[in-house]
Amino acid sequence: MNRLTLVGLLGSTALAQQVFLPAQGPTDRPQCEASQTPEPTYSFTPFSYTLTTTQRTATSVTPSAATTYACPPSALATLIPSQSYTTWGKWDPNATETASDTDNLYGDAAWTALWEHANPPNFTETGVYSTTVEPTPIPSEELVLPPRDYFGPNDCYNFPEGFEFGVSSSASQVEGATAEAGKAPSLMDILVQDDRAKSYVTNENYYLYKQDIERVAAMGVKYFSFSIAWTRILPFALPGTPVNQEGIDHYNDLIDFIVSKGMIPEVTLLHFDTPLQFYGANLTEAQRTPEIGYNNGAYQNETFPDAFVNYAKIVMTHYADRVATWFTFNEPLLYSDNGRSIYNVIKAHSQVYHFYKDELHGQGKISMKFNNNLGVPRDPNSQADVTAADHFNSFQLGPFCNPIYLGIDYPESYKSTIQDYVPLTAEDLEYMNGTADFLGIDPYTATVIAPPEAGNAQSIMDCAANASSIYRPYCVNQTTIEVNGWNIGYRSQTYVYITPTYLRSYLNYLWNTWRHPVVLTEFGFPVFGEDDKDLTDQLFDTPRSLYYLSFMSEVLKAIWEDGVHVSGAFAWSYMDNWEFGDYTAHFGIQTVNRTSQERRYKKSFFDLVDFMKARGVE
């Protein structure tokens, strides 16, 4: 392949995101030159232990009249076929009695068979609660702000009116009660097959949701983003199968309680917890390594799009009057198996958008949450590294964002690598174009990018043509070490590094490439070694405060200095949660006691809220 062909395949070549300016000596302090005195003056004064400290208390969200985003459920019921509603119960693998309604395709026996087929490993965890816990007010002593860190932001910018600040979570990571109240098994229940932590109990938010919402409202956070478990609404997943009345009632009550506290609910329809029906009889398919993502989400199944749209319609017709924003999929690339998966996600998303806007006449917003840790060139002076970073970023976002936001084809970085991609017709592009109101991104960190072979851009395309390359699917070399040998930022327990200046660059990339408002739909920082610390040390989580405050400072600069339209930011997560087999990565701004389920506010929660409130956020 000649060099001309290579440039054509890679598409647009981005400019370097970083420039190194040589300098000698210590850091300049231009702000100090006028005030510097030649010599200090020494003197004696009476000593006192008195220190003056401002003591502030968090201010709760003030309940106000709720906004309506659609007609009430009773008026929307005719938009979907008539549904059958029923209830099931709780699966106990050690039960001695068996259901006798074996002639009922969707009875208790059939529901139990779903769990027996799933056979979740080591299903022995039991929770503390079995019924919904009524909330209690948060004691005032819990709401006193902690001591400030010595160094902190000193900017004078404010967030624009209407900027959405909230917290986020997902069903499988916090709900627990996974085989209770009629919920059927999902991918999350069989994802972890070894001795790592399972999703069966997690934070028991299914029973503690009112207290969890009460705690977030007491801190003054207005937006509350969560996901609905598909298998809690439709245990048998497919169109025409019965709806779980307990699931409908649960989320109805949850949404009502959010609204009653003066908060605004935002809902994700699918956050990785795919129903097992889409894997067929052989559940080992769920463990198969996919070509594109980290796990096989079964989006490629031919029945998936219609089933997802049916599920979305049922949920929307029940809750659209109170939900401000809908996310169809969370980070779909990470659970995409192949090219058909990508196409089915875009197709299903577009159908849901058109249903909500054109048939239901919803007044809220719709988008997706996309993953992508911004790829930055290892050496910004190397054209090969810049090309690799552009390839990396366009591959992760372009397959979805190009048709949805611009009405154009997949990027060449994707088409040249994934041989079974589904071509987009003119009719596809017309239907998909404009089917998102903003671009939702989960910009946790940045990643240092170079070609597979240092300095050789051609090696990117060589990898794209080689199905067995270890660098697939992105066909770049990913590290966390910048060109001078330093980590890209302060390290966390996981892949996240504190990289605020790269965030600003990333927001510019998103805004100027896909030309829609940007919302940080998730971002968070699991402090290194937090799981090994005593509770008091976990609560005083200064590195996490640094992460959030530095990120939001750069968001303000992107808005005011770069002209980037950023319209919201959601912290992940409002409490420590299950991280797909792991409890040692503490992403939360509250701790969770795994024995008692007690929650405690961390310093970072106070610091982040205070930062946002001081800069004009409601």
Side-chain angles (χ1 to χ4, degrees):
M1 183 180 295
N2 61 44
R3 297 293 172 180
L4 181 62
T5 304
L6 172 65
V7 172
L9 276 174
L10 291 178
S12 62
T13 301
L15 298 175
Q17 291 99 334
Q18 183 178 13
V19 176
F20 293 104
L21 300 176
Q24 299 294 324
T27 303
D28 291 333
R29 297 189 297 159
Q31 76 277 15
C32 302
E33 293 175 359
S35 60
Q36 186 70 41
T37 56
E39 293 293 337
T41 300
Y42 302 105
S43 61
F44 294 104
T45 57
F47 173 75
S48 171
Y49 284 104
T50 302
L51 289 173
T52 301
T53 301
T54 301
Q55 181 171 302
R56 296 188 306 282
T57 302
T59 303
S60 177
V61 175
T62 302
S64 58
T67 302
T68 300
Y69 302 96
C71 293
S74 58
L76 301 177
T78 57
L79 295 178
I80 60 175
S82 178
Q83 303 293 315
S84 170
Y85 293 81
T86 189
T87 59
W88 287 273
K90 174 180 179 178
W91 179 60
D92 180 0
N94 299 314
T96 56
E97 296 183 7
T98 58
S100 59
D101 57 347
T102 53
D103 57 339
N104 185 343
L105 288 177
Y106 307 112
D108 289 334
W111 180 83
T112 300
L114 295 176
W115 279 103
E116 292 173 343
H117 176 59
N119 190 27
N122 193 28
F123 195 84
T124 57
E125 300 176 21
T126 57
V128 178
Y129 300 96
S130 58
T131 58
T132 299
V133 176
E134 290 304 313
T136 56
I138 310 305
S140 58
E141 57 267 25
E142 283 196 46
L143 297 171
V144 176
L145 272 68
R148 288 179 178 272
D149 293 320
Y150 189 78
F151 293 106
N154 56 6
D155 63 272
C156 295
Y157 292 127
N158 283 338
F159 288 97
E161 184 178 355
F163 189 93
E164 298 180 0
F165 167 56
V167 295
S168 55
S169 67
S170 81
S172 67
Q173 293 177 268
V174 300
E175 272 191 2
T178 194
E180 299 178 29
K183 179 184 170 294
S186 78
L187 173 59
M188 294 297 100
D189 295 304
I190 64 170
L191 181 70
V192 179
Q193 290 288 321
D194 53 26
D195 59 358
R196 291 175 295 154
K198 310 300 190 294
S199 66
Y200 310 147
V201 173
T202 63
N203 296 7
E204 295 193 77
N205 169 260
Y206 184 81
Y207 296 120
L208 291 170
Y209 65 92
K210 290 186 177 180
Q211 190 64 36
D212 286 335
I213 294 165
E214 186 84 32
R215 292 185 63 83
V216 173
M219 289 291 290
V221 176
K222 190 170 182 179
Y223 288 84
F224 193 90
S225 181
F226 65 98
S227 79
I228 289 176
W230 184 344
T231 57
R232 202 178 285 285
I233 298 295
L234 287 168
F236 293 88
L238 301 177
T241 61
V243 178
N244 179 18
Q245 186 66 57
E246 283 190 87
I248 292 292
D249 293 345
H250 170 73
Y251 292 115
N252 207 32
D253 196 36
L254 187 153
I255 291 169
D256 281 347
F257 195 73
I258 293 172
V259 173
S260 75
K261 302 306 295 185
M263 302 166 74
I264 298 174
E266 303 204 349
V267 170
T268 300
L269 291 169
L270 185 61
H271 193 117
F272 300 154
D273 45 353
T274 303
L276 296 186
Q277 284 84 350
F278 300 107
Y279 298 96
N282 183 10
L283 292 184
T284 58
E285 271 291 293
Q287 308 298 326
R288 178 175 55 78
T289 301
E291 181 180 5
I292 297 176
Y294 295 150
N295 294 292
N296 175 14
Y299 307 152
Q300 70 279 5
N301 185 292
E302 63 181 7
T303 66
F304 180 88
D306 288 345
F308 177 81
V309 172
N310 173 71
Y311 155 64
K313 288 180 177 181
I314 291 172
V315 171
M316 285 179 161
T317 52
H318 281 87
Y319 309 132
D321 58 327
R322 289 152 289 163
V323 173
T325 302
W326 296 90
F327 298 99
T328 50
F329 293 87
N330 175 76
E331 300 179 346
L333 185 82
L334 298 185
Y335 278 61
S336 288
D337 179 37
N338 54 22
R340 172 60 65 175
S341 300
I342 301 290
Y343 178 81
N344 282 357
V345 165
I346 307 170
K347 176 182 176 182
H349 164 84
S350 300
Q351 288 179 270
V352 171
Y353 179 92
H354 285 292
F355 170 76
Y356 179 75
K357 297 287 188 177
D358 302 339
E359 298 180 48
L360 190 146
H361 302 296
Q363 300 301 305
K365 294 177 287 187
I366 292 189
S367 187
M368 269 195 259
K369 297 180 181 181
F370 298 108
N371 71 283
N372 181 26
N373 301 321
L374 173 66
V376 298
R378 181 178 181 272
D379 181 355
N381 294 314
S382 164
Q383 185 56 54
D385 289 358
V386 173
T387 298
D390 197 40
H391 183 91
F392 176 80
N393 293 320
S394 66
F395 183 101
Q396 292 198 70
L397 294 171
F400 305 102
C401 294
N402 278 10
I404 289 174
Y405 295 104
L406 301 178
I408 63 175
D409 199 8
Y410 310 122
E412 290 299 329
S413 55
Y414 170 75
K415 292 169 64 176
S416 64
T417 308
I418 305 303
Q419 299 302 314
D420 70 346
Y421 75 87
V422 179
L424 296 175
T425 66
E427 292 76 15
D428 285 332
L429 292 172
E430 182 179 4
Y431 187 75
M432 295 168 178
N433 186 24
T435 56
D437 297 307
F438 59 90
L439 196 159
I441 193 70
D442 298 349
Y444 282 87
T445 192
T447 303
V448 179
I449 300 296
E453 297 177 13
N456 181 8
Q458 179 64 40
S459 65
I460 301 171
M461 304 316 300
D462 293 342
C463 163
N466 179 5
S468 62
S469 172
I470 62 172
Y471 294 100
R472 291 176 67 88
Y474 306 132
C475 288
V476 297
N477 185 12
Q478 303 178 55
T479 69
T480 57
I481 307 297
E482 50 98 75
V483 68
N484 293 312
W486 289 95
N487 275 352
I488 194 171
Y490 183 86
R491 182 190 170 188
S492 75
Q493 179 71 18
T494 63
Y495 64 92
V496 182
Y497 289 71
I498 300 179
T499 55
T501 54
Y502 290 115
L503 172 66
R504 179 179 175 184
S505 176
Y506 192 23
L507 295 173
N508 274 268
Y509 171 77
L510 297 171
W511 168 248
N512 289 296
T513 302
W514 288 290
R515 309 200 167 218
H516 276 68
V518 179
V519 174
L520 284 66
T521 42
E522 289 180 21
F523 67 123
F525 187 80
V527 175
F528 186 85
E530 186 170 300
D531 191 63
D532 300 324
K533 296 180 179 180
D534 293 336
L535 177 61
T536 54
D537 294 328
Q538 290 183 3
L539 298 179
F540 210 103
D541 58 337
T542 289
R544 185 176 288 108
S545 292
L546 174 62
Y547 174 89
Y548 277 123
L549 271 54
S550 64
F551 268 49
M552 294 314 300
S553 294
E554 291 299 307
V555 168
L556 283 168
K557 291 177 184 177
I559 293 171
W560 290 102
E561 298 179 20
D562 305 337
V564 176
H565 188 174
V566 184
S567 57
F570 289 75
W572 182 277
S573 173
Y574 66 89
M575 57 181 168
D576 293 335
N577 52 241
W578 179 70
E579 283 293 325
F580 311 106
D582 186 17
Y583 282 124
T584 64
H586 293 219
F587 274 91
I589 47 182
Q590 294 182 87
T591 61
V592 177
N593 184 303
R594 293 289 156 208
T595 301
S596 68
Q597 293 291 3
E598 179 188 14
R599 283 73 153 132
R600 292 284 302 275
Y601 296 120
K602 298 181 187 179
K603 181 180 185 298
S604 59
F605 202 159
F606 291 97
D607 288 344
L608 177 57
V609 171
D610 185 62
F611 178 95
M612 302 301 291
K613 298 284 187 180
R615 289 159 179 78
V617 169
E618 293 185 6

